[in-house]
Amino acid sequence: MPKNDNAQEERFAVTFDIKFWGVRDQIATPGENTLRYGGNTTCVEMRVGEHLFIFDGGTGLRKLGNSLLSQMPIEAYMFFTHCHWDRIQGFPFFVPAFIPINQFWIYGATASNGSTFKQRLSKQMLGPNFPVPIQVMQSKLEFFDLAVEKKQKIGDEVVIENCLLNESHRSVGYRITGQGTTVVYAMSPDYSLNTLNPALLELAHQADVLVLATPNRAYAKDHTGIAPENDQQWQACLKVAKEADVKQVAVSLHSPDHSDGYLDEVEQKMKAIFPNSCLAKEGMVISVP
């Protein structure tokens, strides 16, 4: 049969692809103990039909940006959960934003002090802390103040809903529906094993894939690499998945103190309780037909 030149476009037309470029909380942690799960702070790419979405801009955004250079011109929608540094520190190193032929639509809620997301992204690039201001980025950047709990339609096929999941951080969770698939991205929800967040449960209800952070500093505060017997933090993730009736859960935002070996042990325990669960790893792709 002759080769179909549109094979790549047709593949994205019938799938919802999720790729992890950063999975750490707080600070990047490169090193021999984080090789398999990765050390970059959080960044997730989603392909829905012809649309490219980027969620959060931690240090993983630099790697994603470098991978996009061969696909220019780039048009992408960027959604941020909140403005803590581990969510935005990769933005100044996002090379496609410096190239004029590219275009990005950037969404984020106002911070707890009332500043806009454009102000938060711009301020981290001011001297003397950073040598290049945001004005040097020559791509077309359009900033939008995210309206919490308001639906947004992207093209004809994608709907993005959101809600506030953490009042103190002004952290937003997203529900993305397209191609007959629903994926929820919830990176800083306020919940625990004993107190589930009603807004999180509603946002995640019957999602095909839930990308979820563990509550309040992932897992236990154990620096030994061995999971303590009383560690119940990861169990809260599975409780959310069961209560929300999701099909698959990928747990991300790993503590910078936790090694590959420790995370292997956590994932093994998770799968024994909820087989369709996993811990996110850099480079991992979830494709939902």
Side-chain angles (χ1 to χ4, degrees), residues 147-179:
V148 177
E149 297 187 356
K150 183 178 180 181
K151 291 184 180 180
Q152 291 173 276
K153 191 172 183 181
I154 308 296
D156 295 327
E157 67 235 48
V158 182
V159 174
I160 298 182
E161 302 168 74
N162 72 78
C163 71
L164 203 61
L165 294 180
N166 188 307
E167 290 284 349
S168 61
H169 296 166
R170 293 282 297 166
S171 179
V172 175
Y174 295 98
R175 182 181 176 96
I176 307 98
T177 301
Q179 302 292 323

Side-chain angles (χ1 to χ4, degrees), residues 21-22 24 26-28 39-44 54-66 68 78 80 82-98 104 106 117 120-122 124-125 130 132 134 137 141:
W21 292 92
R24 291 285 167 177
Q26 299 176 275
I27 190 170
N40 281 296
T41 52
T42 186
C43 179
V44 173
I54 300 170
F55 289 88
D56 279 331
T59 58
L61 182 62
R62 184 191 68 85
K63 290 181 65 178
L64 169 57
N66 291 345
L68 293 175
M78 304 181 73
F80 289 86
H82 64 281
C83 63
H84 284 182
W85 200 34
D86 60 339
R87 313 306 168 93
I88 66 174
Q89 61 192 162
F91 186 76
F93 304 94
F94 184 51
V95 175
F98 291 89
F104 302 95
I106 301 172
F117 222 88
R120 304 323 306 160
L121 290 175
S122 300
Q124 72 167 339
M125 296 179 68
F130 197 78
V132 177
I134 197 171
M137 289 181 163
L141 302 178

Side-chain angles (χ1 to χ4, degrees), residues 123-221:
K123 190 172 182 179
Q124 72 167 339
M125 296 179 68
L126 293 178
N129 294 326
F130 197 78
V132 177
I134 197 171
Q135 289 79 8
V136 175
M137 289 181 163
Q138 294 299 301
S139 65
K140 187 174 182 181
L141 302 178
E142 294 189 43
F143 292 88
F144 300 89
D145 294 331
L146 187 73
V148 177
E149 297 187 356
K150 183 178 180 181
K151 291 184 180 180
Q152 291 173 276
K153 191 172 183 181
I154 308 296
D156 295 327
E157 67 235 48
V158 182
V159 174
I160 298 182
E161 302 168 74
N162 72 78
C163 71
L164 203 61
L165 294 180
N166 188 307
E167 290 284 349
S168 61
H169 296 166
R170 293 282 297 166
S171 179
V172 175
Y174 295 98
R175 182 181 176 96
I176 307 98
T177 301
Q179 302 292 323
T181 295
T182 295
V183 173
V184 170
Y185 181 80
M187 280 295 97
S188 288
D190 184 13
Y191 73 108
S192 68
L193 182 61
N194 298 319
T195 307
L196 300 184
N197 186 328
L200 173 59
L201 294 177
E202 183 177 353
L203 187 74
H205 182 62
Q206 294 186 336
D208 293 284
V209 180
L210 170 61
V211 181
L212 180 63
T214 51
N216 301 324
R217 294 295 165 258
Y219 318 116
K221 294 180 180 178

